Amino acid sequence: MKKRLVVSTGAGMSAESGISTFRDAGGLWENYPVMEVASADGFRRNPALIHRFYNERRAELVSVEPNAGHRGLVELEKYFDVHIITQNVDDLHERAGSSSVLHLHGELMKVRAMDNESLLYTLDKDHLETTPDTLIDGHHVRPHIVFFQEAVPNFEPAVDLVQSADIMVIIGTSLAVYPAAALLNYARRGIPVYYIDPRPASVPASVHVIAQGAGEGVATLTRELLNNI
Ligand code: APR
């Protein structure tokens, strides 16, 4: 029976693929007023601007590839029952081949009907752009993104996953945004917790910090885990 490895990733996971993080120097929130382009109020105020913001991020996403960190997590599936929880809205974990990915903040390549949020549509390379006037199956659509000021519906399933973990790993997050940042507190007492981040946020002393980027850090983690398997 493989041990369950639960990995919680943030924007730093995709940095080495060329996607900028939010709060590093030159990050997304330095160039965009976050409450204008990523909040429920912003969407009500100026939906066209928000559609444009996510159109731009989709165009960037289809031009980049998963990095060694994403691939290293797929490799770990040979030895562990790996489940990814991600704050990222990109599809790089899926494109790398991870078999279990739970998105907390939505998915950039999906939009949903404004009049029925259970109706999801996956955009393809040839139809990446939406506007407030776009109709899919007769429905106006919005980005399938959890805006600030909106609930995080996948948080409960994420907590269940963390509570079932034999090993927990956190990669590339500033642990600045809740409820995602609280996931660490749900890990069962005594299980090993690792945190891979070149500029780690402060975490309890019991957490094993690997102060490296995702690619190098996942390789370091893998060596450490396989030495103790
Ligand atoms: N490898 C790993 N981590 C990295 C790398 C790298 N190459 N480069 C930077 N990092 C780390 C930074 O040190 C930082 O801790 O990635 C983290 C990025 O932090 P944020 O930009 O705050 O991103 P994140 O924690 O995912 O933000 C959480 O905030 O704006 C919202 O919804 C958005 O999901 C996002 C949430």
Side-chain angles (χ1 to χ4, degrees), residues 33-211:
V34 56
M35 294 315 275
E36 294 302 312
V37 295
S39 75
D41 285 343
F43 187 61
R44 270 187 290 278
R45 261 196 308 275
N46 188 344
L49 171 66
I50 293 216
H51 276 273
R52 266 200 314 280
F53 176 66
Y54 287 99
N55 292 343
E56 285 170 22
R57 293 182 64 195
R58 264 183 228 111
E60 178 192 44
L61 177 55
V62 298
S63 71
V64 302
E65 295 297 327
N67 62 57
H70 295 105
R71 291 193 297 274
L73 294 178
V74 178
E75 191 67 17
L76 282 171
E77 293 192 14
K78 288 179 185 164
Y79 310 101
F80 300 96
D81 171 27
V82 181
H83 294 267
I84 312 271
I85 300 164
T86 186
Q87 298 173 78
N88 300 340
V89 294
D90 65 55
D91 59 353
L92 295 177
H93 282 302
E94 290 90 341
R95 282 164 51 191
S98 284
S99 49
S100 167
V101 183
L102 180 67
H103 287 270
L104 287 178
H105 294 163
E107 298 180 65
L108 188 51
M109 294 306 285
K110 292 181 180 168
V111 292
R112 66 172 187 258
M114 292 285 286
D115 56 357
N116 178 349
E117 64 179 24
S118 63
L119 289 179
L120 292 181
Y121 304 99
T122 301
L123 299 176
D124 60 44
K125 280 183 183 285
D126 307 325
H127 303 91
L128 287 175
E129 305 219 337
T130 58
T131 73
D133 302 326
T134 301
L135 285 176
I136 299 181
D137 281 353
H139 299 276
H140 285 288
V141 293
R142 58 160 276 180
H144 181 51
I145 298 288
V146 176
F147 295 143
F148 281 105
Q149 303 163 329
E150 292 185 330
V152 179
N154 283 340
F155 185 64
E156 289 310 311
V159 167
D160 293 344
L161 267 181
V162 169
Q163 290 181 322
S164 71
D166 297 309
I167 303 165
M168 182 169 185
V169 187
I170 300 161
I171 306 176
T173 177
S174 60
L175 295 167
V177 172
Y178 285 80
L183 282 175
L184 168 64
N185 306 327
Y186 290 89
R188 282 178 294 142
R189 291 182 64 72
I191 70 161
V193 180
Y194 296 85
Y195 177 29
I196 297 170
D197 193 304
R199 289 173 298 284
S202 62
V203 286
S206 57
V207 173
H208 306 270
V209 174
I210 300 173

